Amino acid sequence: MAETLLRGSDITQRWGGLVAVNAVSIELERGSVHAVIGTNGAGKSTLINILSGEFPPTEGKIELLGQEATHWSQAKRARQGLGRSYQRNTIFPDFTVFENCRLAAQAQVQRPWVWWNNAQKCKHSVTAANHALELAGLMSVKERFAGLLSHGQKRQLEIAMCLAIQPKVLLLDEPLAGMGAEETDRMLELLASLKRDHAILLVEHDMDAVFRIADRITVMVNGSVIASDTPDQIRVNADVQTAYLGGH
Amino acid sequence: MMDKFFSGKLLFVGLLFAGLALYPLVASSYGLDLVSKIMIYAILAMSLELLVGSTGLVCFGQAAFFGIGAYIAVMLSPESESGHLLWLLPAAILAAAVYALFVGALSLRTKGVYFIMVTLAFAQMAYYVVHDTKLGGGTDGIYLYFKPTLGSILDLNHPQVLYFFTWVFLVWTFIFLAILLGSHFGRVLAGIRINEQRMRASGFSTYPYKLAAFVTSGGIAGLAGFLFAVKDGFVNPEMMSWHLSGALLIMIILGGLGHLRGAIIGAFAFVFLQEFFKSSDIFGAFAKHWQLGLGFTIIACVAVLPKGLVGLPEVLRKRLYGGRPSSDAQIVLK
Ligand SMILES: Nc1ncnc2c1ncn2[C@@H]1O[C@H](COP(=O)(O)OP(=O)(O)O)[C@@H](O)[C@H]1O
Ligand SMILES: [Mg+2]
């Protein structure tokens, strides 16, 4: 029995009359990639926002690492081991690539009252940042300003910043969007290697990639889950065929 | 490249402080008083730079903390003898910091333009308390008849002693903030300025960080207020008016946001420009309308130098050598 690291139960998000997420339950296990697919506006990003604590859900419960976490702030969830990436880059363009990761890693060892020590001498964050950059394959551009990176590299940095906080759960919102074939391969390799120790939620439009890497796929339409199963079952699911995959 | 750039900045600041230390050798009494005043404004502008340039919090009420520091210095001084510096100075800083804690705790729950308005509102509140009540002498203000002393070591009645006293605090504030901005705390503030959402997603509770920055800033503004009260031996409600808060914002923008030395340069430039346009020797009757000339000059400066006066060397280099600066130099190092 695999270990469930993050569990969302009956999560609902309403904005006025719009039900963006409708009673969605989802479990993320260590050692597996759980993909969430669905058309634009299906509620995938909203689901990630709620799981990561960006805002509280209208209804529903969240458990992180076996603890009730519905009322935890986003920062606390992150400190407890939940890392997330955004659909749109949230990198710091005028910091170096290294400093982007080092600053994120600093969240794990916050000592704001030690005002006389230079942050660059913080061993933990320097080590964690280097490790994250190595994993993400960004070591060669580490001293470059993040704003000067290529699009694909920026996406990699977005992931590296998540890894820098040494999370146990990763929520990734369209990490492959706009990447070339080579960069995609590389990212999938990275995800495959991270899978061993992490529970990963992957929101992605690239179906080839999803079917290559996912252990489980959840399909959302208009806020609701219409199917959640293994890739092989999803491929032959009639509801999914009509609603989304369209003969894929 | 980075090292050269960095040491260039340090060299500039070192020369500036050295120049200020030597200035009394040649200064007239008018000049000494003027530069003392500018150094106090520079401290105050650096306190605002910590919020605006470093953290991205546009505070439009910095004058309140300045004024509170000044009023506390005067109000806690005994009427017929000198108060003790080691008690009055911390008291002034603490009082300003406590008010900043109160204002920050409430205003930091708002964002953007609301934050600007709320900080302004709290500053106006403080202004009206001293303006309309007898508490601080009303519109007339109050006099400080006996300047604080440190036993017999320090006689602040002497303009040169006061000048060096202020100089020490200017240098101290710069070094303190420069170190602070490079620390864990300072890096988090820099992160908050650029993308607060990402900072929260990384695990930083940003509110306490912003509040701590606000209180630190208020305390330093209180220090500047204390120095101002001691220098002039007088406080009045105008020290807390929004005109000063606005002028401080202009100083740091003029100098160059995101750079500590920009606040110092901006304070000097602003006051020099003000003195220049106020001078009836140069402008005759038009000197009455000094604000007009000052305003246009500042607008022109900001238009030509979008990065402020700290960006001047780079603009000149581009003009002189024509070529584009190297890609590294294009990104302003924070
Ligand atoms: N803050 C918000 N306020 C109101 N509606 C929102 C908000 N965020 C998203 N929505 C709406 O919720 C629905 C789901 O959006 P989203 O989760 O971004 O979809 P996806 O990521 O699957 O493309 C969309 O109809 C979107 O317009
Ligand atoms: Mg989305």
Side-chain angles (χ1 to χ4, degrees):
Chain A
M1 187 61 202
E3 190 187 351
T4 300
L5 298 186
L6 181 73
R7 177 182 289 124
S9 321
D10 286 320
I11 292 171
T12 297
Q13 178 65 47
R14 285 189 212 98
W15 276 300
L18 175 78
V19 186
V21 175
N22 189 4
V24 171
S25 294
I26 194 164
E27 285 188 5
L28 304 182
E29 292 170 348
R30 188 199 297 274
S32 99
V33 173
H34 190 142
V36 174
I37 61 173
T39 47
N40 271 327
K44 306 178 300 291
S45 294
T46 304
L47 180 64
I48 287 191
N49 285 337
I50 288 168
L51 292 176
S52 68
E54 200 92 23
F55 44 77
T58 318
E59 280 160 41
K61 247 181 69 175
I62 291 145
E63 242 175 69
L64 179 60
L65 309 175
Q67 285 176 286
E68 161 71 41
T70 316
H71 301 290
W72 287 6
S73 69
Q74 183 178 26
K76 177 162 185 194
R77 289 181 210 194
R79 288 196 298 272
Q80 297 293 322
L82 191 154
R84 70 158 299 181
S85 77
Y86 288 84
Q87 191 170 346
R88 295 175 60 186
N89 288 333
T90 56
I91 60 173
F92 301 100
D94 49 5
F95 291 177
T96 63
V97 169
F98 172 76
E99 181 61 8
N100 269 270
C101 288
R102 198 210 56 76
L103 181 55
Q106 190 186 302
Q108 297 288 311
V109 284
Q110 297 181 44
R111 298 178 72 203
W113 51 89
V114 187
W115 62 268
W116 54 91
N117 265 1
N118 194 285
Q120 308 303 325
K121 290 194 192 123
C122 166
K123 280 203 189 79
H124 170 91
S125 59
V126 168
T127 312
N130 279 324
H131 186 61
L133 289 172
E134 222 160 275
L135 283 176
L138 289 170
M139 257 336 215
S140 58
V141 289
K142 121 182 206 189
E143 295 304 334
R144 200 170 293 174
F145 288 106
L148 301 176
L149 294 179
S150 71
H151 173 79
Q153 287 172 323
K154 284 181 183 160
R155 294 307 288 166
Q156 278 166 293
L157 179 56
E158 178 85 17
I159 307 290
M161 287 166 76
C162 294
L163 296 178
I165 69 168
Q166 302 180 321
K168 301 180 179 74
V169 180
L170 280 167
L171 312 180
L172 307 178
D173 202 347
E174 304 198 19
L176 306 175
M179 277 195 171
E182 218 169 287
E183 288 165 331
T184 299
D185 282 347
R186 202 187 181 152
M187 185 68 85
L188 289 180
E189 240 170 71
L190 171 61
L191 293 186
S193 72
L194 289 172
K195 189 164 105 169
R196 199 152 39 90
D197 303 320
H198 298 80
I200 302 176
L201 185 151
L202 175 69
V203 166
E204 190 45 59
H205 277 305
D206 179 343
M207 284 308 126
D208 291 330
V210 166
F211 280 96
R212 256 167 77 190
I213 188 130
D215 299 289
R216 193 174 182 85
I217 299 178
T218 290
V219 185
M220 285 179 74
V221 172
N222 292 331
S224 302
V225 171
I226 61 161
S228 184
D229 219 322
T230 60
D232 292 336
Q233 292 298 315
I234 290 293
R235 218 189 282 271
V236 296
N237 185 306
D239 290 343
V240 177
Q241 290 287 340
T242 40
Y244 182 60
L245 289 178
H248 183 86
Chain B
M1 181 69 221
M2 243 172 96
D3 283 348
K4 228 168 77 191
F5 203 69
F6 186 63
S7 62
K9 289 198 296 195
L10 274 189
L11 187 68
F12 171 83
V13 174
L15 286 176
L16 178 70
F17 288 157
L20 286 173
L22 295 175
Y23 177 67
L25 293 175
V26 296
S28 64
S29 68
Y30 165 78
L32 205 62
D33 186 71
L34 181 68
V35 176
S36 298
K37 181 173 95 172
I38 297 176
M39 289 196 295
I40 294 171
Y41 280 149
I43 295 172
L44 185 54
M46 279 194 280
S47 78
L48 185 61
E49 162 62 28
L50 175 66
L51 292 182
V52 183
S54 306
T55 319
L57 295 167
V58 182
C59 172
F60 201 171
Q62 202 69 1
F65 312 126
F66 177 69
I68 286 169
Y71 267 86
I72 288 295
V74 177
M75 283 159 62
L76 292 185
S77 289
E79 262 174 44
S80 49
E81 56 176 332
S82 286
H84 204 289
L85 188 73
L86 288 184
W87 131 250
L88 287 174
L89 177 60
I93 294 174
L94 193 70
V98 166
Y99 190 62
L101 179 66
F102 168 69
V103 175
L106 297 170
S107 63
L108 287 169
R109 303 198 177 275
T110 64
K111 289 237 167 352
V113 77
Y114 298 99
F115 178 78
I116 301 177
M117 298 315 289
V118 171
T119 51
L120 173 63
F122 275 114
Q124 288 304 96
M125 234 169 71
Y127 173 83
Y128 284 115
V129 165
V130 293
H131 188 271
D132 294 345
T133 67
K134 285 273 153 263
L135 201 68
T139 47
D140 296 338
I142 8 175
Y143 285 91
L144 174 69
Y145 293 106
F146 297 92
K147 298 192 177 182
T149 59
L150 192 65
S152 57
I153 311 171
L154 203 66
D155 181 9
L156 293 174
N157 290 302
H158 205 294
Q160 293 199 338
V161 175
L162 187 102
Y163 180 94
F164 278 113
F165 188 66
T166 308
W167 180 88
V168 166
F169 280 108
L170 174 72
V171 174
W172 177 85
T173 304
F174 179 84
I175 292 175
F176 169 69
L177 287 178
I179 293 174
L180 185 76
L181 290 175
S183 73
H184 266 197
F185 179 66
R187 296 311 295 162
V188 175
L189 299 188
I192 289 173
R193 174 174 58 82
I194 302 169
N195 193 336
E196 187 172 354
Q197 186 185 36
R198 167 42 79 187
M199 293 304 282
R200 269 193 250 108
S202 293
F204 295 100
S205 304
T206 53
Y207 179 80
Y209 276 95
K210 290 192 286 184
L211 189 56
F214 210 85
V215 171
T216 307
S217 169
I220 295 172
L223 162 69
F226 173 90
L227 294 170
F228 207 88
V230 171
K231 180 180 95 58
D232 278 3
F234 171 66
V235 289
N236 74 1
E238 291 315 306
M239 295 183 72
M240 295 198 197
S241 82
W242 66 267
H243 295 100
L244 179 59
S245 297
L248 290 169
L249 279 170
I250 293 173
M251 285 178 203
I252 59 176
I253 293 169
L254 190 63
L257 280 181
H259 306 273
L260 267 185
R261 68 191 192 290
I264 303 178
I265 297 169
F268 273 90
F270 185 90
V271 177
F272 281 150
L273 283 173
Q274 201 177 25
E275 293 293 312
F276 174 71
F277 285 109
K278 268 182 173 173
S279 151
S280 48
D281 291 349
I282 303 171
F283 292 102
F286 188 70
K288 259 206 325 265
H289 307 295
W290 60 272
Q291 279 155 324
L292 209 59
L294 181 66
F296 276 122
T297 311
I298 287 169
I299 291 170
C301 266
V302 174
V304 179
L305 300 167
K307 284 176 191 161
L309 290 166
V310 294
L312 185 63
E314 200 190 310
V315 171
L316 288 180
R317 210 180 309 134
K318 243 192 271 187
R319 283 276 154 82
L320 286 178
Y321 301 114
R324 283 146 39 96
S326 75
S327 61
D328 275 359
Q330 262 175 330
I331 307 241
V332 181
L333 289 170
K334 290 281 150 36

